[in-house]
Amino acid sequence: LGAGVAADITYTINEAKLYANNALKESAKAITGGTINLTLDDLLNEARAYALNVKKIEDGATPTWRTIGKSAPYVGIGFIEERIIDGVTKHLPTWVYKCQFAPQGKSAQTRGENVEFRTTQVNGEMMGVYPDTSGDVTFIDEKEFENGEEATAWINTMAGITTAMEE
């Protein structure tokens, strides 16, 4: 999509409580979905075409990117968090199995006296899948690696990417 600035995942929880003899006797809390909010340095046009159902129209030297009124496709997405744990840098990739992003509004501002960097927000709805025979509905997988190359390779494997991508 673009270079990551921040990623926030929030779960939707289905909650039920059973009271008996004037006290809480049982409770259940289960994840039923969630949201993923990504802040990016920019949203690349090819990524918009893939993840947001923006249509690329070849109509001259440069293409036109058209936002259309169709639902975006379901996609998987991954990101890698780098964190220092006990003095050691760890690379913590997260894979979201199924989500659907929606085109966001657009905001533009004229150049002023000071340079300002702007970022782009992309928000998606997470859904569960059954990735194996365990019978467990799954939303995300997470791992921990000592180096970034291993974390990137794992994300690429989850995404089905078999060749190195240019940066």
Side-chain angles (χ1 to χ4, degrees):
L1 295 175
V5 175
D8 296 298
I9 291 177
T10 305
Y11 293 109
T12 303
I13 306 294
N14 185 1
E15 186 173 345
K17 295 180 181 180
L18 172 66
Y19 289 88
N21 292 334
N22 298 323
L24 180 63
K25 179 162 171 111
E26 301 272 348
S27 72
K29 295 181 182 191
I31 298 171
T32 58
T35 58
I36 178 168
N37 301 312
L38 303 175
T39 303
L40 309 167
D41 70 334
D42 193 16
L43 187 56
L44 305 173
N45 282 327
E46 294 292 343
R48 290 174 58 228
Y50 178 75
L52 297 175
N53 214 12
V54 171
K55 195 172 190 178
K56 181 179 182 179
I57 300 169
E58 299 287 354
D59 60 352
T62 61
T64 297
W65 301 92
R66 181 172 291 163
T67 301
I68 59 176
K70 288 173 74 175
S71 288
Y74 299 122
V75 296
I77 190 156
F79 60 88
I80 301 170
E81 177 184 2
E82 190 175 290
R83 197 185 303 174
I84 297 175
I85 301 171
D86 295 327
V88 177
T89 300
K90 302 283 185 174
H91 301 269
L92 310 169
T94 298
W95 178 255
V96 178
Y97 278 93
K98 183 179 180 182
C99 60
Q100 184 179 40
F101 291 104
Q104 305 303 303
K106 188 169 183 81
S107 174
Q109 183 174 333
T110 190
R111 184 175 36 190
E113 291 181 17
N114 299 315
V115 174
E116 286 186 38
F117 290 104
R118 299 180 65 99
T119 58
T120 300
Q121 289 276 329
V122 180
N123 303 318
E125 190 75 25
M126 292 189 322
M127 292 159 253
V129 299
Y130 295 91
D132 55 37
T133 60
S134 70
D136 295 328
V137 64
T138 302
F139 295 89
I140 66 172
D141 276 351
E142 299 171 282
K143 296 274 269 187
E144 180 180 304
F145 294 100
E146 298 292 322
N147 66 62
E149 293 80 20
E150 289 177 324
T152 299
W154 183 76
I155 289 286
N156 287 346
T157 298
M158 297 301 287
I161 297 171
T162 57
T163 59
M165 296 180 68
E166 293 182 29
E167 290 188 26

